Amino acid sequence: MGSSLAMSAPSEAFVRPGVAASSHAPNSLRPVQRPGSVQRPGSGFHHVSIAPCAGLCLGLMGSNVPKVWTRRRMQTARAALQPGDFGLPPKLAGMASALAALPNDRLRYQQLMALAAKLPAMDEELKVPENKVPGCLSTVHVTATLEENGTVTFQGDSDALISKGLVALLVLCLSGCTPEEIANVKPEFIKASGITASLTPGRNNGFYNMFKLMNKKVSMLVAGESDEEDSEPAPLQIYNTLSRAKETFETLEPGVVKMYVCGVTVYDLCHLGHARVMVFFDVVARLLRHLGYKVVYVRNVTDIDDKIINRSQDAGESAEGLARRMEAEMQKDAASLGCAAPDFEPRVSETLDEIKGMVDTLVEKDFAYVGKAGGDVYFRVRRFETYGRLSRCSLDGNEAGARVEVAEVKESPEDFVLWKSAKPSEPSWESPWGPGRPGWHIECSAMAKKYLGDTLDIHGGGPDLVFPHHENEIAQSEAANGAPYVKTWMHCAAVRSTGKEKMSKSLGNFVTIRDALKKYDGEVLRFYFLSSQYRRPLLYSEEALEEAQERLLKLYGALRGAKPGGAECEPAECEQHGRFLLAMSNDFDTVNAISAISDLSKELLQLQQGEESGEEYQAKARHLRAMGSVLGILQRDAEEVCRGSDDDLQAKVESLIQARADARQEKDFARADAIREELTSMGVVLEDGAGGTSWRIASMA
């Protein structure tokens, strides 16, 4: 997060340039001490009608204020806030006083806008929903980092200029303070200073919420870096689609997580939308196991489906043959992305007895019926009273589809099929209702029950499955089993094409995993997915993939020189490791988790520049690998990743680097530059440092 943003200007810096806070100041700006007021030693401030700092917020912001104020305007200014008032640290007290002392709101707004221009840019990867300030009319983000010296550095931004000025006021004035100093500040100072007196209610409320969020983040940092033996780790918080809120995760059975994720319909190669879901739930399983849970992870394979039948007929092969072939390709792609195989990967074709048994139970309970045309079995949606609670959909106003007259086949337009009667030339299986095959929704309910029981801890999938697939799963499972189906619903957002449409095979706008792997290493794709908040749609971009590759190579570069393998690490021994686990425990916040990884890598790179990397380097490297293992990255040999496996290339590069060094020694800089350009054209990146020149490849593909 870089060095502190704190301002080091003394209180005198808040005086308008050219006006000194002394007895020689013009009468209109000279401090006037009230009867009974006390000047605090060394503060430079009085409880006065106009403070010396009223020279318009210093030279730090600049000023368009007239040099002479009328006495009438001076009388409208509020009393200066002293360091210590409302627990204010000196910088914030001085800035708040300077703004409060202005004669009108127009000038105050001008100075807030000027202050906004002084706010350093915020890292884009930190602008996630968890860092957005609630209650603000505009989009406002703030986040915090605990520095090694025990102070806090804030970052912030807003898409509205006035709000950005308010962000700057707190970010610049509280950065560099200790957590204790920040915790002592009482938000009532905002009202007392008059800073927000004329703001809209939305901005006023947002300013209070911003201050509260900054305090909350500092408290989280302090809790995360505590090394007390009896300190409890942060509880795992997961956003539940059912409640639309983060909830503390609690399992049905102590220490055991039963997780089911909807898999792929295997009729074609998987695309990047499938890849994102695979990677994310692989990370969910990794973190849960890292936290000590026994995870039973089930991901189904849909190998009976209309799309498989149609594609196989077009290709002139059996539906089963196509399904087996595409299933193998799917598993190959998942392995290329670093995804471990689920504990169970059941196929629909192998779960037909359980599917027919559940359909039969639903018919017996009067939740299902045989259609009027015979052979098809439908679920009675309106008989299930809580239908729609996951998707928030309403059954009111639904009308029959135009393609089929509802009255001819089923009782109500919203009823969905559980078993489909066979059509000529299609594969089919015998059932009590005649030859046919399962409907799409029933398969997951039957497989989840077979491997995990009536109630699951976690059920996951893509956002397009919320309705109707997952909604229908709830209805048929709870109707058949007489028990709640899922405690926590999780949905990983879609990958969007360049046209901002969801990437899908039906739209024909997808990029297959296989095509992406021709250009990028599987670990690069994985890192690309994890660099974005999982509930946010991800816009596919070649530029973003190139950036992900560069960032990942730099992380591997920090591990060059690290001993192979790694031992168990105590997170309390490493600030960034603690931050990492805090982020991951906050609804799998991989964005801030990677930020902690990046900060630790910078420390490793600095240690590499020293004469000795030593034990400190090796210890930090172990922590970096341990953090990476939770995300499924940074587990390969760093030197091999950075240099590639082409021995001839390595020999040629080393020879050219030596020739470049000789040219520089001879001060033949033109030749040295030419050699560097040649290496660049070969896809080699040179890194000159105190220990000489190192190199790495520019692409992991």
Side-chain angles (χ1 to χ4, degrees), residues 585-600:
S585 295
N586 181 21
D587 192 33
F588 306 93
D589 181 3
T590 56
V591 175
N592 279 314
I594 289 175
S595 176
I597 285 177
S598 297
D599 286 349
L600 183 57

Side-chain angles (χ1 to χ4, degrees), residues 507-524:
L507 294 173
N509 62 352
F510 63 92
V511 176
T512 65
I513 299 173
R514 196 62 52 82
D515 284 343
L517 287 171
K518 293 175 183 177
K519 296 182 179 180
Y520 302 100
D521 184 87
E523 191 172 349
V524 171

Side-chain angles (χ1 to χ4, degrees), residues 275-327:
R276 190 184 194 193
V277 174
M278 290 177 187
V279 167
F280 173 67
F281 284 103
D282 180 70
V283 169
V284 170
R286 285 171 181 267
L287 178 66
L288 290 169
R289 289 176 175 134
H290 181 79
L291 296 176
Y293 290 101
K294 176 186 177 182
V295 179
V296 184
Y297 178 16
V298 180
R299 186 181 67 206
N300 73 299
V301 175
T302 299
D303 62 343
I304 299 176
D305 185 83
D306 290 348
K307 294 176 181 177
I308 297 173
I309 294 171
N310 295 336
R311 181 64 61 86
S312 66
Q313 291 176 344
D314 292 342
E317 65 180 314
S318 69
E320 182 181 6
L322 173 66
R324 294 289 82 78
R325 184 163 59 84
M326 288 296 106
E327 181 183 352

